Amino acid sequence: MRDFFPAFIVIIPMTISLLAPLVGRISKVFLRLLTMFGFFLSVIFSAIVLRETLTVGNVYYNFGNWEAPYGIEYVIDPLGATIAVMVSFIALLIVIYSREFFKDEGWLKNAAYYSLFGLMVTGLLGMTVSGDAFNLYVFLEISSLSTYALIALGGPRGTVAAFKYLLIGTVGASLYLFSVAYLYGITGTLNFADMSERILPLMDSPAMILIVILLFLGLGIKMALFPLHMWLPDAHSYAPYPLSAFMSGVLIKVPAYVMIRYYFFIFDVNHAVLQNVLQIAGILAAIGIVYGSVMAIAQTEFKRMLAYSSVAGIGYVVMGMSMGNAYGMIGAVFHIFNHAFMKVALFFIAGGIKQKFDHIKIDEFKGLLKKMPVSMYSFLILAFSMIGLPPTAGFFSKWYLVNGALQEGLWFFIVVIVVSSVLNAVYFFRIIEFAFLNKEEKERKCKIQSRFELPLSMLMPIVVMTLLVLALGIFNADFVSAILTSVVPEVIK
Amino acid sequence: MINFLSTLIYGLIVVMFLLGFYGIMTKNNLIKKLIAMNIMQISIIFFFITLGLKLDATIPVELPGVVNVDAYINPLPHALMLTAIVVSLSTTGVALALMIRIKNFLNTIEEDEILRRMEE
């Protein structure tokens, strides 16, 4: 039974999402419970697998008992397992949070939403566990296709944004497939473990330059790295709120993980080709951090502001990766976690304000503290984490990034991190000022009645995420020594 | 000359890929953008199929009398491309469904018109 756990991580959400339309016809409550149960099982299984990878080593699963490299293999290393735990845990919270947004809709829209959401999570989980280049492409497309359909739930603007994302996303996936074709052409294998052995003598071949660049462009589009982020602001701001949270927190992080896996675990990262590409990636990431923060300041809508700040967030991850040392890598992976928790919680708060008062503009937030104290204090903690003030988690990931930059003597990166913290402070203190210091100007119309400031299904995920951000900050040393030190690739230890 | 002809196909594939990319970037009509996207995807399918090409070899089914492994072609690229075709098909399907919704909402599928009507 234990041998099948790696497969269960993917198979359970997939089964649930395929059952969802049938169950949704019978009862909406049962549909939600079933989806929650499915993701809960995914969390459990990925946590068990994570524990096993940390104590025993990589976990393997061969499909249909075909030995790798001939059959398709799932390989889970500590990095993949931690990302899988994060993906399934956030998916579980999103399902809990989604209740208020779809409870007045018909059964078909509910069933479609949960079914597509389940498929999207299946794709992302598949990307974290797959050990086969082409299998990874299929999972990438599963998650992308369901994302396109889900964004279109956000009305006319959402549909146009979804179409735009579909075109750009397909270009990204095609570029990835192109690089897989080259890899298959020169190595004759698609299995990652096999490929990493066969590629070493071929690192000098001119095809490698193309492969690395195509991978960078393809995955760069998928993770919205500056300047390939054109699809992100529209898609994030017009999608339904729970979905924007998931996209910003998780969807753009998994391609970053795939890039880490290719560059550090399969290719020889010390080779000149990769060093050059990583250097360019670092510079683009630095520009992206500043650009995202500046654009976020210019926005008047809360959700669009968060969307631009995601461009900055992915910049930190790529910057940490491009440093090519252990501190940088720990900082990058730590930031994947922090940013996922912070951004998801911030989008949750944005959605809460929208559902309760129908506010989307920042200057409508005046005196919101009196009406929504718990959300606003959570917002305060999350804003501190985004800026990078101790003891929140955001400080520590930036601390590791600064350490990594110091080790390589990259002063430019340190300046960028400090500048972006200041810019973050500018756009978050604007909201803090409106919500905490300004008086309420006019009476607000409350759209939903509930015992607490928000229905429990919305308030609970916000509080859980905020506590997690605090916990990650306070117990950061334990988190890093228990998990993150083992995700660092051998080559840069 | 032989050398030129055997590499020509790769050049044509790259041209086809860039043609598709050019169409996605410059065309105004969403259907034309979608056709360009399909051209781009098909160029990659061609690329895989070309990689699987082998002269003087037969289909990958065990034939009586043919015992040498080198006499069979590699079936893997073709199998992979069947999956890629399915992916391309479903992408097209989703795109067409989105386009019908755009047409219903805004009554146009010209990109500049869409942008203008969304401003209002």
Side-chain angles (χ1 to χ4, degrees):
Chain A
M1 188 68 182
R2 238 188 138 73
D3 302 341
F4 294 107
F5 283 3
F8 283 164
I9 297 176
V10 179
I11 286 172
I12 290 172
M14 191 168 81
T15 320
I16 299 276
S17 61
L18 296 179
L19 279 177
L22 302 175
V23 177
R25 186 76 186 88
I26 302 163
S27 143
K28 270 191 242 177
V29 181
F30 191 44
L31 170 69
R32 277 175 47 77
L33 282 177
L34 181 78
T35 327
M36 271 188 241
F37 178 68
F39 290 142
F40 178 72
L41 283 183
S42 266
V43 176
I44 301 283
F45 284 126
S46 33
I48 293 172
V49 170
L50 171 64
R51 207 186 128 80
E52 212 165 297
T53 56
L54 289 176
T55 49
V56 187
N58 288 1
V59 177
Y60 299 90
Y61 180 80
N62 291 327
F63 266 87
N65 235 349
W66 288 89
E67 290 288 321
Y70 305 110
I72 289 174
E73 180 189 38
Y74 277 5
V75 186
I76 311 182
D77 51 1
L79 181 56
T82 37
I83 305 272
V85 173
M86 184 192 90
V87 171
S88 42
F89 178 70
I90 292 179
L92 176 63
L93 284 186
I94 301 261
V95 171
I96 296 172
Y97 180 80
S98 301
R99 181 171 172 271
E100 285 300 314
F101 288 85
F102 293 97
K103 70 173 178 195
D104 299 330
E105 306 284 353
W107 73 270
L108 191 62
K109 201 161 181 180
N110 264 286
Y113 173 76
Y114 289 110
S115 172
L116 286 171
F117 185 71
L119 272 181
M120 180 181 175
V121 177
T122 309
L124 294 175
L125 287 172
M127 282 164 80
T128 61
V129 299
S130 181
D132 184 278
F134 192 79
N135 196 235
L136 205 154
Y137 165 75
V138 174
F139 279 126
L140 182 80
E141 282 290 19
I142 289 176
S143 74
S144 307
L145 279 172
S146 29
T147 318
Y148 307 145
L150 281 169
I151 297 170
L153 285 175
R157 281 166 187 277
T159 315
V160 175
F163 194 83
K164 196 170 142 195
Y165 179 29
L166 185 143
L167 289 176
I168 299 174
T170 309
V171 173
S174 300
L175 289 169
Y176 173 79
L177 190 60
F178 221 141
S179 75
V180 171
Y182 268 106
L183 275 174
Y184 183 63
I186 65 168
T187 62
T189 178
L190 290 166
N191 184 281
F192 282 155
D194 201 24
M195 196 187 282
S196 67
E197 282 170 19
R198 294 200 195 184
I199 201 119
L200 285 180
L202 298 166
M203 284 304 289
D204 287 323
S205 87
M208 255 341 263
I209 302 171
L210 255 177
I211 290 169
V212 174
I213 292 174
L214 286 173
L215 261 183
F216 179 72
L217 289 177
L219 294 173
I221 288 175
K222 285 284 172 194
M223 67 168 134
L225 177 67
F226 178 87
L228 307 167
H229 67 278
M230 313 77 92
W231 59 270
L232 183 137
D234 276 354
H236 280 205
S237 41
Y238 298 134
Y241 277 85
L243 191 73
S244 325
F246 194 74
M247 281 167 68
S248 173
V250 178
L251 184 77
I252 59 172
K253 304 294 163 41
V254 177
Y257 154 77
V258 175
M259 196 186 257
I260 292 176
R261 190 148 168 196
Y262 266 103
Y263 282 10
F264 288 88
F265 290 88
I266 297 171
F267 302 155
D268 173 18
V269 76
N270 293 319
H271 195 272
V273 178
L274 277 147
Q275 287 296 324
N276 287 336
V277 169
L278 282 179
Q279 213 164 16
I280 295 166
I283 294 166
L284 288 180
I287 301 171
I289 291 171
V290 176
Y291 168 85
S293 308
V294 170
M295 286 304 282
I297 293 174
Q299 302 306 316
T300 53
E301 283 172 27
F302 188 30
K303 206 177 173 191
R304 217 172 162 77
M305 184 193 103
L306 293 177
Y308 272 106
S309 121
S310 299
V311 178
I314 204 72
Y316 284 111
V317 177
V318 177
M319 182 193 261
M321 186 181 102
S322 74
M323 286 169 194
N325 58 32
Y327 277 124
M329 188 54 77
I330 290 175
V333 179
F334 202 174
H335 201 77
I336 288 182
F337 272 80
N338 285 341
H339 191 261
F341 291 146
M342 295 185 297
K343 238 347 136 30
V344 169
L346 284 169
F347 271 108
F348 280 176
I349 292 172
I353 297 170
K354 165 84 167 78
Q355 282 302 95
K356 194 168 163 82
F357 296 120
D358 215 5
H359 291 345
I360 45 171
K361 291 237 158 64
I362 291 169
D363 51 13
E364 293 172 316
F365 288 9
K366 283 177 181 158
L368 213 53
L369 178 65
K370 285 239 168 55
K371 297 279 184 206
M372 306 173 81
V374 179
S375 318
M376 280 301 125
Y377 278 112
S378 306
F379 176 81
L380 192 68
I381 293 169
L382 296 165
F384 280 179
S385 185
M386 286 295 291
I387 296 163
L389 298 176
T392 51
F395 170 74
F396 293 99
S397 57
K398 285 187 183 174
W399 177 251
Y400 280 105
L401 290 176
V402 168
N403 262 332
L406 269 179
Q407 205 176 340
E408 301 290 310
L410 296 162
W411 299 99
F412 171 61
F413 284 176
I414 298 174
V415 173
V416 167
I417 291 172
V418 173
V419 166
S420 99
S421 294
V422 174
L423 292 173
N424 268 306
V426 171
Y427 61 81
F428 278 110
F429 274 123
R430 187 171 49 157
I431 298 176
I432 292 173
E433 189 200 328
F434 277 139
F436 283 76
L437 304 176
N438 285 16
K439 286 260 159 22
E440 219 173 343
E441 278 173 347
K442 52 179 191 283
E443 267 310 296
R444 290 194 163 82
K445 266 213 305 288
C446 213
K447 272 173 63 192
I448 40 174
Q449 300 299 327
S450 54
R451 247 176 80 206
F452 303 98
E453 55 180 85
L454 284 174
L456 210 56
S457 66
M458 294 173 91
L459 199 59
M460 197 274 280
I462 295 175
V463 174
V464 169
M465 282 296 186
T466 313
L467 290 179
L468 263 173
V469 168
L470 268 182
L472 264 186
I474 292 166
F475 301 108
N476 77 87
D478 299 316
F479 180 64
V480 168
S481 63
I483 297 173
L484 291 190
T485 43
S486 53
V487 309
V488 179
E490 285 297 326
V491 277
I492 56 170
K493 251 184 187 155
Chain B
M1 194 62 194
I2 301 267
N3 199 9
F4 171 73
L5 280 180
S6 59
T7 53
L8 179 66
I9 180 79
Y10 295 106
L12 290 178
I13 287 165
V14 170
V15 169
M16 198 169 161
F17 185 88
L18 293 177
L19 203 65
F21 188 69
Y22 171 80
I24 290 177
M25 287 293 136
T26 57
K27 288 295 170 211
N28 193 27
N29 188 303
L30 295 190
I31 289 275
K32 285 184 183 166
K33 274 179 188 281
L34 188 64
I35 293 171
M37 189 191 89
N38 273 322
I39 292 175
M40 194 181 71
Q41 286 177 319
I42 285 169
S43 76
I44 294 164
I45 294 173
F46 275 166
F47 186 45
F48 260 100
I49 300 290
T50 317
L51 285 178
L53 177 77
K54 195 172 182 182
L55 291 175
D56 301 328
T58 180
I59 51 167
V61 177
E62 194 181 2
L63 296 174
V66 187
V67 285
N68 194 357
V69 183
D70 289 337
Y72 295 103
I73 61 162
N74 180 2
L76 194 60
H78 305 85
L80 294 179
M81 282 314 103
L82 277 180
T83 319
I85 288 168
V86 173
V87 168
S88 147
L89 179 77
S90 37
T91 315
T92 313
V94 173
L96 287 172
L98 289 178
M99 220 181 290
I100 290 169
R101 273 172 67 91
I102 292 174
K103 173 85 175 155
N104 284 346
F105 284 135
L106 301 165
N107 208 19
T108 179
I109 50 164
E110 301 289 328
E111 198 178 26
D112 49 355
E113 275 287 300
I114 290 171
L115 291 178
R116 229 191 48 229
R117 287 184 195 183
M118 282 206 320
E119 291 286 310
E120 286 161 11

